[in-house]
Amino acid sequence: MTRPGLEVPEGAELELLGSDGVEIFDLLSEMGHEQVVFSHDPSCGYRGIIAIHDTTLGPALGGTRFWNYESDRDALTDVLRLSRGMTYKAAVAGLNLGGGKAVIIGDNKTRDREMLMRAHGRAIDSLGGRYITAEDVGVSVEDMDFVHVETESVVGIQGRSGDPSPVTAYGVYRGIKACAVKRYGDDGLGGRSIAVQGAGNVGYHLCRYLTAEGAKVFVSDIDDARTARCAEELGVEVVELEEIYDVDADVFAPCALGAIVNDETIPRFRFEIVAGAANNQLAGPEHDAALKEGGILYAPDYVINAGGLINVYSELAGWSSDRSHRKAGEIYNVLLDIFDLAESDGVTSGVAADRVAEQRLRRVGRLHRAPLLSGVKW
Ligand code: NAD
């Protein structure tokens, strides 16, 4: 039976939400969620959802997104999908974190934020550390300070681990080298050519690493000041926005937008590797297979861009910046394992990455359950 407000979704969401009548608990069991909390504070109009997907590896960590969703169902779909993604990201990166995410429903341009954010902080605090939040779309570092008034379950606040972009860029750089060794048998990037889309926080630092190793770098950005900085400081070649897909380069490193690997762009690619920081690079899951068919090696986005998560994890684990960089550097070996598994199982690298995450979750899950199963009390 379909409940009011949760009609059978249409189009792409249909698959995610299950094909027949959608019951909330059917949905949670299909996606594997442990807990979903709906919170409401009428005094300030706060409406929030916190989704804890899986805490096998540790407390569920993931940002808070502040967004004017068209419906509550859209908000729920988003928070369920994003929280599950965080479980996989942390698992593959080898972090002791589970997956979670939160959404606040409303206009993220509102100036009246203090009470909203504090209400959100109280909702988070009621979970007793099972969910830890951070910044995401529509939320600022200042907002996180308000959340922090109410709870300690927050990372990325001012004066702590700081800008994650340099760590993310380092992880992406190491990931590109792993792709190079897989593809060419040599991870040296001197003489290789790389097209970087987006010269923002991550893109700029990535260009620094690449040019320092002698790679030929092309860059595009809607913001001319950003490309100019890269050209002047690092000697990269600036290309027009649309031309970035046609550059005759070995590697495409998307560091701006999602969904840029799609039916329109793939036929234009002369790249042999796609490896960059942007989230949700593939327009659809079928584009992973399309890249494979085209002989293009794809570094799954959530694996190669895990440096940002590693950086906030360093706050919880008390790691130095050096240690975070070392951990981000391990993305090199993580990707090589994924490529090996993809080859041996005859699947795409995206599917292989999911399998690596699930293997770790199963292994650690068994470990946790072992005393119960054997009846041994610790
Ligand atoms: P950013 O906002 O600093 O940089 C993005 C850049 O892309 C901006 O300079 C923007 O002008 C440019 N841009 C926008 N539209 C463009 C277009 N059509 N063509 C070319 N350039 C365009 O963001 P960032 O922190 O550098 O992150 C880049 C990507 O990596 C994002 O997708 C982000 O979600 C992802 N990511 C970032 C981190 C991190 O640590 N910052 C971690 C994981 C993933």
Side-chain angles (χ1 to χ4, degrees):
M1 200 184 84
T2 306
R3 293 268 167 82
L6 265 179
E7 295 84 0
V8 177
E10 287 171 12
E13 285 176 6
L14 187 66
E15 207 177 314
L16 175 65
L17 292 174
S19 50
D20 34 30
V22 179
E23 297 277 3
I24 290 263
F25 281 105
D26 289 346
L27 184 54
L28 301 191
S29 89
E30 189 177 321
M31 294 188 69
H33 284 77
E34 291 178 11
Q35 188 176 11
V36 180
V37 179
F38 292 78
S39 304
H40 178 225
D41 187 335
S43 71
C44 59
Y46 166 75
R47 290 187 298 152
I49 312 175
I50 299 169
I52 294 178
H53 177 252
D54 189 298
T55 56
T56 303
L57 301 175
L61 190 142
T64 292
R65 184 166 285 195
F66 190 177
W67 198 251
N68 220 345
Y69 291 97
E70 282 195 7
S71 67
D72 295 352
R73 196 195 69 200
D74 284 358
L76 179 62
T77 305
D78 209 28
V79 78
L80 292 179
R81 188 176 55 83
L82 294 167
S83 54
R84 184 171 63 171
M86 291 306 296
T87 299
Y88 280 73
K89 188 167 191 159
V92 172
L95 301 176
N96 296 319
L97 286 176
K101 203 84 185 183
V103 294
I104 300 175
I105 301 166
D107 175 10
N108 65 29
K109 299 276 184 305
T110 182
R111 294 159 65 109
D112 212 6
R113 312 176 80 86
E114 180 173 357
M115 298 325 288
L116 271 182
M117 292 299 158
R118 288 187 61 169
H120 188 51
R122 288 193 294 279
I124 293 167
D125 205 56
S126 73
L127 293 166
R130 278 172 54 72
Y131 168 68
I132 300 168
T133 201
E135 247 184 277
D136 197 79
V137 178
V139 169
S140 66
V141 188
E142 290 73 25
D143 291 332
M144 285 294 116
D145 285 340
F146 292 134
V147 170
H148 188 216
V149 174
E150 304 285 351
T151 185
E152 284 302 319
S153 298
V154 49
V155 286
I157 52 178
Q158 300 187 61
R160 297 218 181 145
S161 59
D163 179 9
S165 308
V167 182
T168 303
Y170 182 65
V172 173
Y173 162 69
R174 294 277 302 162
I176 292 174
K177 287 175 80 67
C179 292
V181 80
K182 178 73 189 169
R183 185 78 213 204
Y184 308 115
D186 176 358
D187 74 3
L189 298 178
R192 296 263 165 236
S193 49
I194 294 146
V196 179
Q197 182 180 48
N201 292 320
V202 177
Y204 167 75
H205 288 288
L206 178 61
C207 288
R208 271 186 38 235
Y209 284 117
L210 297 174
T211 50
E213 203 179 314
K216 163 82 184 150
V217 176
F218 301 86
V219 77
S220 71
D221 198 295
I222 49 172
D223 183 340
D224 291 343
R226 293 192 154 183
T227 46
R229 178 186 180 200
C230 286
E232 280 157 27
E233 278 184 30
L234 307 169
V236 306
E237 187 174 328
V238 179
V239 299
E240 294 298 325
L241 290 182
E242 265 303 304
E243 280 174 21
I244 197 79
Y245 304 114
D246 306 313
V247 173
D248 189 5
D250 302 313
V251 183
F252 177 43
C255 295
L257 311 163
I260 31 66
V261 176
N262 55 45
D263 291 340
E264 197 266 317
T265 56
I266 294 173
R268 292 162 64 177
F269 288 174
R270 280 179 280 177
F271 313 117
E272 292 180 313
I273 292 167
V274 173
N279 283 312
N280 305 317
Q281 292 169 27
L282 307 177
E286 69 277 16
H287 296 112
D288 190 9
L291 288 177
K292 184 170 183 269
E293 275 156 31
I296 300 170
L297 185 64
Y298 170 60
D301 47 12
Y302 77 83
V303 179
I304 193 170
N305 73 13
L309 183 61
I310 291 169
N311 192 63
V312 289
Y313 181 75
S314 71
E315 258 180 55
L316 300 170
W319 287 358
S320 64
S321 150
D322 272 3
R323 181 145 180 210
S324 301
H325 271 83
R326 273 205 307 280
K327 188 72 182 168
E330 287 172 15
I331 288 172
Y332 184 104
N333 288 325
V334 171
L335 275 173
L336 290 182
D337 287 347
I338 287 169
F339 294 146
D340 283 351
L341 186 71
E343 227 164 60
S344 63
D345 285 7
V347 295
T348 63
S349 51
V351 170
D354 291 353
R355 288 186 184 175
V356 167
E358 286 157 7
Q359 275 168 8
R360 180 162 181 241
L361 286 162
R362 269 198 304 275
R363 274 201 309 271
V364 178
R366 265 201 297 275
L367 200 86
H368 283 171
R369 277 195 292 276
L372 283 179
L373 291 175
S374 62
V376 176
K377 290 210 170 61
W378 290 18

